[in-house]
Amino acid sequence: MASLAYMPLFVNDLLGSSTFRMMSDRAQLYYLLLLFAQWNQAGQPLPDDLRKLAALIGKAEDDLRSVWDELEAKFPAVEGGLENPRQRQAWDDSLRLKRVRSESGRKGAAARWKADPDGKANGKANGKANGLSLIHI
């Protein structure tokens, strides 16, 4: 599956969420780390094992276990593991947008080079510069 470097984060929605605001500081941190980890899973669910999940976010299993009751509802079980539904939707939307943009780029390039299918540039390889040097001696 594809990887996406950019992850949308809806800060207004996150900070405006009473559920998020009512979480402990540690739970808030772990919630964000789990969202990041899910994004890096390239569309695949998170492991359904707290030991593996803690290792994935670089935290101790006991620390994750101590806040898991605050987080568990945000990462329901799905086929293959755990997944935050909103994060899944953001992944699907971003992947769809990436594909649309990629196809648009392919069409634009094809249209541009259609006149010259050999891909030859329209300028001289060893032409003269048309500006002045920025350094004057």
Side-chain angles (χ1 to χ4, degrees), residues 21-35:
R21 287 195 323 263
M22 291 175 62
M23 287 180 185
S24 65
D25 291 347
R26 179 171 282 175
Q28 287 178 347
L29 170 65
Y30 283 34
Y31 175 67
L32 290 171
L33 291 174
L34 289 168
L35 289 178

Side-chain angles (χ1 to χ4, degrees), residues 97-114:
L97 181 59
K98 179 181 179 180
R99 289 179 179 148
V100 165
R101 287 180 174 165
S102 180
E103 183 59 28
S104 293
R106 263 192 289 283
K107 287 179 181 177
R112 177 180 178 169
W113 296 108
K114 187 177 183 179

Side-chain angles (χ1 to χ4, degrees), residues 22-95:
M22 291 175 62
M23 287 180 185
S24 65
D25 291 347
R26 179 171 282 175
Q28 287 178 347
L29 170 65
Y30 283 34
Y31 175 67
L32 290 171
L33 291 174
L34 289 168
L35 289 178
F36 301 155
Q38 182 178 332
W39 193 264
N40 275 345
Q41 293 287 103
Q44 301 301 310
L46 295 167
D48 189 7
D49 175 288
L50 288 184
R51 183 181 56 77
K52 292 178 182 176
L53 206 52
L56 189 63
I57 62 172
K59 299 296 178 186
E61 180 183 355
D62 290 342
D63 289 341
L64 178 58
R65 194 173 297 284
S66 74
V67 295
W68 187 244
D69 62 324
E70 297 179 71
L71 302 173
E72 188 172 14
K74 294 291 191 177
F75 295 89
V78 296
E79 186 178 329
L82 305 173
E83 193 170 78
N84 179 279
R86 183 154 185 196
Q87 184 75 327
R88 179 63 204 205
Q89 185 62 52
W91 172 268
D92 291 342
D93 292 346
S94 293
L95 191 58

